[in-house]
Amino acid sequence: MPPASAGADGVSAAGLEFAGDAAVSSVFAFASGTVSGPALASTLIDSPLTDVLAWLAIGAFLAAIVLQWTGAVDQARRLAAAAWVVFGVFWLTMFPYYYYEMQSPLQTILTVVALPLCTYVAYLLYTGRQSLLLLSKAVALMGVIYLPVETIPVVRTWLIETTAAQTHYGMELLGHSPGINEGANGYQSRFNFDPDETVTGRTTYIILACTGIGSMAIFGGLIASVKAPLKRKVPAFAMAIGVIWFLNLLRNVFIGLASPWGWFQQDWLVSLMTTYMGAEANRVSFLVAHNYIAQSLSVVALIGITYLVVKLVPEILAPLEDVLFVLTGNEYDLFEALDVEEYRPANAPSALDQ
């Protein structure tokens, strides 16, 4: 949920629109100092480059699944390895957006480490760690859930505007009714607070990342990727989606009110973030609420939801074991640790045996 100046709605907080291959030329312009970081962020996020990389990676993952299904496991591993490299490059292209525009430390760090981590996964796959094909399948199915929402305008519009309407209803329950008008992204998703009546003179508008679809795709992909009875997978999926939806609305209401009403505009915070982090003074409440409080709590929430999903579908521990191996370099047997050995997928032997 990016902030937008309540008095300058005509200026897009998402940045300028560029056509064709302008993204590539702008990277070189940025390197030469003729284009600013925020302009580069806008160029990349509005260009077809990121969508092409995302679709290419997900398409390769899906093709690897088909190869594995037909018995061509070695070919599947090599193709999935290539897909992971492309996936890492995709996340690297998001760095300017999260660093310059969103000013999010957590998301910026994730985009930086994504490429080396994805390259490491590719190396492990290429050199024979077959179990990572299940994690690759999970990522492919996450993309199948997320990318249509990202790239089909009617679906994206419905999800953004529905989330905005529900968030506004949540604000009304707390005694605030600013109304909704068109945001800088072109959707009816901007909370129309009067800049003369609020503390910061700013407001926020809903973007796709504010809908919770990313987290929903993660759990949907994990649950769909493993073999388990539908009588357990369907309730797990419904529970995860329901909890994410509810917590996401609370998050949006919190940020949507904290930004205009300056809940975190304390002098010491404003001084710290404007002096050392380059923040605009009237944007401090948004940055604290969105980038620090909400994102930190989101990590806690994702861990909690993972625990609940594991209770219903322990089979998802198999790809999680590989995630832990990639992150730590150590083998873990989560099935044994949680005493659910009977749920270990037949094609996912104990990590300790690999």
Side-chain angles (χ1 to χ4, degrees):
M1 182 192 293
S5 172
D9 196 36
V11 179
S12 171
L16 304 176
E17 293 188 1
F18 293 79
D21 60 356
V24 177
S25 61
S26 291
V27 171
F28 290 103
F30 172 73
S32 66
T34 58
V35 169
S36 67
L40 175 65
S42 299
T43 301
L44 290 175
I45 203 66
D46 289 333
S47 77
L49 176 63
T50 53
D51 283 349
V52 169
L53 287 171
W55 276 114
L56 185 60
I58 298 306
F61 280 131
L62 292 172
I65 293 173
V66 173
L67 286 173
Q68 183 186 21
W69 181 69
T70 60
V73 177
D74 290 340
Q75 293 90 327
R77 284 192 297 102
R78 288 192 286 268
L79 181 57
W84 276 103
V85 174
V86 176
F87 195 53
V89 174
F90 158 74
W91 282 111
L92 186 61
T93 64
M94 300 297 291
F95 168 81
Y97 172 70
Y98 288 119
Y99 181 78
Y100 291 107
E101 188 166 316
M102 295 305 295
Q103 295 182 315
S104 168
L106 176 61
Q107 290 170 307
T108 299
I109 291 171
L110 290 176
T111 60
V112 171
V113 302
L115 181 56
L117 283 176
C118 288
T119 303
Y120 181 49
V121 174
Y123 167 77
L124 292 172
L125 266 168
Y126 189 79
T127 55
R129 193 176 178 95
Q130 183 178 330
S131 62
L132 281 167
L133 285 174
L134 182 58
L135 181 59
S136 302
K137 179 181 179 182
V139 173
L141 295 175
M142 292 174 197
V144 168
I145 296 172
Y146 182 84
L147 286 181
V149 178
E150 166 70 28
T151 56
I152 300 175
V154 65
V155 179
R156 184 170 64 250
T157 299
W158 175 83
L159 188 58
I160 290 174
E161 294 187 352
T162 298
T163 301
Q166 293 173 344
T167 301
H168 188 271
Y169 178 72
M171 291 179 178
E172 289 183 320
L173 294 178
L174 297 178
H176 300 272
S177 186
I180 298 176
N181 62 5
E182 185 175 308
N185 55 0
Y187 303 105
Q188 292 296 315
S189 65
R190 176 184 178 275
F191 304 113
N192 192 26
F193 285 98
D194 187 338
D196 295 326
E197 296 181 358
T198 57
V199 173
T200 64
R202 300 186 73 90
T203 187
T204 56
Y205 60 95
I206 298 295
I207 61 175
L208 188 61
C210 303
T211 65
I213 186 61
S215 298
M216 294 177 188
I218 289 173
F219 285 101
L222 279 172
I223 294 168
S225 67
V226 299
K227 292 182 179 180
L230 285 177
K231 66 180 181 181
R232 287 194 286 112
K233 293 175 75 170
V234 171
F237 180 76
M239 181 276 299
I241 298 304
V243 172
I244 291 169
W245 170 81
F246 178 71
L247 293 179
N248 188 66
L249 285 182
L250 292 182
R251 166 189 174 276
N252 287 342
V253 172
F254 167 64
I255 297 170
L257 294 178
S259 180
W261 295 111
W263 289 356
F264 304 103
Q265 291 296 124
Q266 287 79 12
D267 290 342
W268 69 273
L269 261 180
V270 174
S271 176
L272 174 68
M273 297 192 67
T274 55
T275 303
Y276 299 104
M277 300 180 186
E280 298 175 45
N282 61 359
R283 202 169 183 245
V284 167
S285 278
F286 168 80
L287 293 174
V288 172
H290 183 278
N291 292 354
Y292 295 94
I293 297 177
Q295 287 186 357
S296 298
L297 291 177
S298 293
V299 173
V300 176
L302 288 176
I303 294 173
I305 296 169
T306 301
Y307 173 79
L308 295 175
V309 171
V310 165
K311 298 291 286 185
L312 293 173
V313 188
E315 289 85 350
I316 71 166
L317 291 173
L320 293 181
E321 286 180 343
D322 273 320
V323 171
L324 287 175
F325 177 78
V326 171
L327 293 176
T328 68
N330 297 318
E331 301 282 10
Y332 295 90
D333 192 331
L334 299 180
F335 290 93
E336 181 180 2
L338 298 177
D339 194 23
V340 289
E341 285 280 357
E342 67 272 21
Y343 294 104
R344 184 188 303 280
N347 59 347
S350 170
L352 301 178
D353 296 332
Q354 294 186 27

